Structures are given as structure tokens and as C-alpha cells.
Amino acid sequence: MRKDKSYMFRLLCSACLIFTINLTTTAQNNGFSPGALWPDNNAVHINAHGGGILYQKGTYYWFGEHKIPGEAGNTAQVGVHCYSSKNLYNWKDEGIALKVSNDTANDIAKGCILERPKVVYNKLTNKYVMWFHLELLGKGYDAARTGVAISNNVAGPYTFLKSYRPNAGFMPFYMPGTPENEKINKQHPANKSDSIFFRDFPTGQMARDMTIFVDDDGKAYHIFSSEENNTLHLAELTNDYTGHTGKFIRIYIGHSTEAPALFKRHGKYYMIGSGCTGWAPNAARWFSANSIWGPWTYQGNPCKGDRAKLTFGGQSTFVLPVAGKNDAFIFMADKWAPKDAIDGRYIWLPITFNGDKPEIKWLNNWNLDVFQN
Ligand code: GAL
């Protein structure tokens, strides 16, 4: 009897130990392992592809495409997934922030294509605003629309507002006086992309891969692949961030830039993007500008070292300024898995600066200590 009791006690202790070890090992990440599975608080690989991050009051919120297994995962079967984190290593599942609709006539009907969601906070309306690339159900990539949804709560639920092609009837705006912009103005129309621009002029410009950037003065911009993906547009949003004002510029006309990600450092604007090869990786490209309205100058590939020509197998989605640190920016990329979409991985790498040139180098494992300040 005594023997039985101590046996039971030891059994119970081992079970507790295993349980505790299990809890701690599954829940705690101490750094970033680019390209590896990234377990959330439930030990499930994070499901937030083509994502972006909003930092609010000490917490980071990561929004991205929720994918399901197989090729069906390349369409939106569930919606936009949200996770939260205080330290960027460990993420808590906050659930689905924007759900697709079961009504097949709805713009965001289940089975549509809803990509690259980005959320920003609007101080004037006290609302969270989510923008995304939207392709209507059953129409492949033909619709080329942007969609917008809002919420009173950062993690949602978000209410879908509308989807459309922006800036119908508007000509691009260029800052006068800079030689490069004068040149661009003179060139019009001068590129294969221009005919597409004018084709879509009356009905609105195509809007696919995208990001949203909020400047220090609170103005927000939508940057998207337009004109059959030939040319990027950078367009101003209205003060409540839920529409376009009609003021926009065209960037790197005719060079097929996708996956734009913007950031600002020491008053200078930077953009990292990719070429246009579908889910397959290609070389990243970066641009800089002294004004948000350009001129935006192409600067080559920021990635260095092995596999730099293929962005280490990834494609940009966002550049995250680390809160509370100077000069600390994380390059966020997706390593797509189109045959089994849910298995897509995340490649997060620190951006280092050589003078004012951003550089991205591969690291198997790293943590925020790489940033000095
Ligand atoms: C990529 C794009 C992705 C997705 C994919 C579809 O070029 O960046 O967001 O649209 O094409 O093939």
C-alpha cells in the first residue's frame, strides 16, 4: 500500500514536470528563426501570410492572410488572422479579425482572393482601418481591386466597407521643380504601361500587391502594384483613411514592382519591393526618396550574400520599426508554399545600414540584441 502511494506520487510528479516542460517549450520563443515553423501560444504555426504589423500601446498586432492546407489555401476560405505580441518572438492567437462572407454575391465572398492586409489606426475617428488587395470570387486576378474594412477594436471584428479601383478620372501628381520629375512629366505618354494607365483612367486604376504607410504628420498612403502590375502607384488616403483623395504618383514606370514595404529613417523615405514572378522568389529591390511624393530612385538589391538574388527564398511584405529602439527595422518576407499554402513560412531579418543604404543579410537565428540602441 505504502509502495503504491509513493509510486502514484512519483507518477504524478513526473506528469506535472512533463506538463510544465511542455508548456514552457511550446510557448516560449527566444528569437527569430527565419524560414522555420513559428509556433503561436497554442503551439500552432502562425497563420498570417502577406502580413503587416500595427504597434499600439505596448503591443504589436500582426495581421495576415489565413491560409488553409493545399492549393485551395491560395484563396480566402477564412479571412484575415490577427496575433498579438509584446516582444515580437511570442505571438498570441487573437482569432479572425475579418471574416469572409458566406454570401457568394458579397465582395469578400468565401473563395475570393484577399491578400496582403494592412491595418492602421486613425486618430481622428478612433477607428482601426484595414486595407487589402481583393479579387472577386471566381474571377481569378481580373478584378484588381482594393478593399477596406473598419473596427473599433484593434483585433476586430472588422466590418467590410467597400472595394474598388482607386483614383478614377485623376491624373498623377508630381512635385514640380525636381529634374527627375520634370523628366517623368515630359515622358508622358512614353511607356507600355501608359496605355494601360489611360485605359483605366475613367474607371479607376488596378490595385494589387499593396501596403499602407502612415507618415509622421498623420497622413496615410496606399502603395500598390497597378497598370497590370507594370507600375507602382503611391496614393494619398482621405483623413479618415477609408478612401482615396485622387492625389497620387506613379513609381518606376513599366518595371513591374510588387510587394511594396515602406519605412522612414532620419527623414528619408525607403521602399523595398520585389519583381513580378508570382509565388516564386526573385531579387528584392529598394528605392529612396526625400519626399513622399518622390522622386523615388531605384537603388538595386538590398539583400547581400548567398541566395541574395532570390531574397533568401522570400518576398517582402512589411518593414517593421522596432518600438523603443533607434534605427531598428525588421524586413518581413513571406516564403510562399503555393501547393500547401498553410505551410508558408516567414523570413524576418534585421536591416543594417551602410551609411544610408539598407542591407539585408541572412541569419539562421537572431534576436533583437542585434540592434545596438
Ligand atoms: C505574387 C504576389 C502575391 C500573390 C501571388 C499570386 O506576385 O506578390 O501577393 O498575388 O503573386 O501569384
Side-chain angles (χ1 to χ4, degrees):
M1 185 66 188
R2 272 177 73 115
K3 202 176 168 193
D4 274 3
K5 259 192 180 166
S6 86
Y7 175 73
M8 287 304 284
F9 179 71
R10 273 184 287 139
L11 204 67
L12 197 68
C13 286
S14 337
C16 284
L17 193 68
I18 289 169
F19 181 68
T20 322
I21 289 172
N22 205 23
L23 262 187
T24 47
T25 50
T26 52
Q28 294 307 309
N29 306 309
N30 301 315
F32 306 104
S33 303
L37 287 170
W38 193 341
D40 69 5
N41 61 312
N42 299 318
V44 175
H45 179 50
I46 291 170
N47 198 340
H49 310 264
I53 289 181
L54 174 67
Y55 180 72
Q56 277 287 88
K57 299 182 192 134
T59 302
Y60 296 93
Y61 294 89
W62 178 356
F63 297 86
E65 304 158 28
H66 178 102
K67 306 269 195 190
I68 66 160
E71 291 188 30
N74 299 316
T75 59
Q77 300 293 329
V78 177
V80 175
H81 208 136
C82 175
Y83 294 83
S84 67
S85 174
K86 299 260 184 218
N87 63 7
L88 294 174
Y89 309 135
N90 294 293
W91 291 89
K92 176 172 173 246
D93 187 351
E94 298 281 355
I96 302 302
L98 174 69
K99 288 197 171 93
V100 293
S101 167
N102 285 323
D103 172 3
T104 53
N106 193 292
D107 282 8
I108 59 164
K110 184 174 177 196
C112 69
I113 294 172
L114 195 163
E115 294 180 337
R116 300 185 176 273
K118 304 287 177 296
V119 173
V120 288
Y121 171 68
N122 187 281
K123 283 187 191 141
L124 301 176
T125 59
N126 199 23
K127 303 246 185 256
Y128 296 89
V129 184
M130 179 191 289
W131 285 91
F132 45 88
H133 164 202
L134 181 70
E135 298 292 347
L136 301 175
L137 180 62
K139 297 200 158 41
Y141 277 85
D142 288 351
R145 290 194 192 188
T146 188
V148 59
I150 55 167
S151 178
N152 292 323
N153 306 303
V154 59
Y158 282 76
T159 307
F160 173 70
L161 289 183
K162 59 191 166 182
S163 81
Y164 59 100
R165 288 184 173 189
N167 296 327
F170 286 94
M171 284 295 284
F173 160 87
Y174 291 106
M175 284 234 298
T178 57
E180 191 156 336
N181 282 336
E182 294 297 324
K183 204 169 90 194
I184 293 170
N185 279 334
K186 280 200 195 112
Q187 273 171 1
H188 278 271
N191 189 288
K192 62 173 173 162
S193 198
D194 293 334
S195 57
I196 302 164
F197 174 84
F198 287 113
R199 178 197 72 191
D200 293 337
F201 177 80
T203 47
Q205 297 297 330
M206 300 175 92
R208 293 203 181 107
D209 276 15
M210 55 145 282
T211 195
I212 302 288
F213 173 74
V214 180
D215 208 342
D216 305 329
D217 61 2
K219 277 205 178 297
Y221 302 87
H222 176 208
I223 300 92
F224 52 98
S225 299
S226 193
E227 306 174 26
E228 303 286 0
N229 297 349
N230 280 300
T231 295
L232 278 175
H233 286 195
L234 182 150
E236 186 183 65
L237 293 182
T238 52
N239 286 340
D240 68 357
Y241 299 170
T242 67
H244 291 76
T245 63
K247 186 172 177 181
F248 69 99
I249 54 169
R250 300 165 76 209
I251 297 175
Y252 208 33
I253 296 168
H255 290 279
S256 305
T257 306
E258 285 197 324
L262 253 82
F263 62 104
K264 192 176 184 181
R265 175 184 181 258
H266 300 170
K268 205 178 172 97
Y269 298 86
Y270 294 85
M271 174 162 49
I272 301 180
S274 75
C276 187
T277 52
W279 302 116
N282 55 55
R285 49 182 76 174
W286 72 280
F287 303 83
S288 62
N290 292 323
S291 154
I292 192 82
W293 294 118
W296 283 89
T297 311
Y298 168 73
Q299 305 275 14
N301 186 351
C303 297
K304 305 290 165 209
D306 274 2
R307 296 186 301 141
K309 282 191 185 143
L310 292 179
T311 316
F312 317 110
Q315 186 185 26
S316 44
T317 184
F318 200 73
V319 171
L320 174 68
V322 180
K325 292 198 180 244
N326 284 325
D327 264 0
F329 297 91
I330 299 176
F331 173 70
M332 292 169 48
D334 292 283
K335 188 175 173 206
W336 303 111
K339 296 265 174 243
D340 187 19
I342 196 171
D343 194 36
R345 306 294 174 88
Y346 311 101
I347 296 179
W348 288 23
L349 291 166
I351 300 180
T352 50
F353 288 89
N354 181 357
D356 57 6
K357 291 186 172 60
E359 292 185 346
I360 304 165
K361 292 175 195 126
W362 178 261
L363 294 169
N364 287 329
N365 295 289
W366 65 283
N367 64 38
L368 296 174
D369 293 344
V370 302
F371 299 116
Q372 303 300 316
N373 310 299

